[in-house]
Amino acid sequence: MQQHVEKDGETSKSVAEELFHYHAPAIFAFLRRQTSSREDAEDILLEVFTAVIEQKRLAYCHKASKGS
């Protein structure tokens, strides 16, 4: 994966897209085997990526506040 620079604690759209396209197929396949429907697997997949991006944003904000 390419390296990207973050601005103002926001994970850039290209980073999020790159993470999603790289990891989503394997995660979706796992979730599909674990859930009763495709829709449930899709919902969980989106929740996972939303949580990852939010965690990344919070970690960046925390790091930035310590450096001030």
Side-chain angles (χ1 to χ4, degrees):
M1 277 195 263
Q2 298 175 2
Q3 300 231 347
H4 297 276
V5 176
E6 294 180 4
K7 274 186 154 178
D8 302 324
E10 295 292 324
T11 303
S12 73
K13 184 177 179 182
S14 63
V15 171
E17 288 175 350
E18 189 173 330
L19 284 171
F20 185 84
H21 290 296
Y22 184 81
H23 294 288
I27 296 171
F28 180 76
F30 171 79
L31 292 170
R32 189 63 188 99
R33 289 188 304 270
Q34 301 299 315
T35 60
S36 59
S37 74
R38 180 179 186 85
E39 292 78 19
D40 288 344
E42 289 171 349
D43 289 345
I44 295 168
L45 179 66
L46 292 178
E47 289 176 20
V48 166
F49 276 94
T50 300
V52 167
I53 290 167
E54 180 63 12
Q55 240 355 76
K56 180 74 172 158
R57 187 188 68 78
L58 291 173
Y60 179 85
C61 290
H62 179 71
K63 181 180 174 184
S65 71
K66 287 181 116 179
S68 298

